[in-house]
């Protein structure tokens, strides 16, 4: 089985909602966690 590389500080993650629009409040609540982990966030 092939596994992707682990995320590391400085990597960019994309947040999308392919099944429908995400609740903006929940997305905004998650952003500090990603930033605390040192990740860059790109909203789709």
């Amino acid at each position: 089985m092939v596994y992707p590389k682990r995320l590391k500080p400085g990597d960019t993650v994309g947040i999308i909602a392919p099944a429908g629009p995400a609740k903006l409040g929940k997305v905004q609540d998650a952003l500090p966690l990603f930033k605390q982990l040192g990740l860059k966030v790109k909203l789709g």
Side-chain angles (χ1 to χ4, degrees), residues 8-22:
K8 58 186 178 302
D11 285 347
T12 301
V13 294
I15 299 178
I16 61 168

Side-chain angles (χ1 to χ4, degrees), residues 2-25:
V2 178
Y3 293 99
K5 294 180 182 178
R6 291 181 182 249
L7 292 171
K8 58 186 178 302
D11 285 347
T12 301
V13 294
I15 299 178
I16 61 168
K23 296 191 187 292
L24 186 57

Side-chain angles (χ1 to χ4, degrees), residues 30-44:
L31 292 178
L33 173 64
F34 291 115
K35 291 183 180 184
Q36 180 182 351
L37 294 172
L39 300 172
K40 299 175 189 171
V41 178
K42 181 164 182 142
L43 299 176

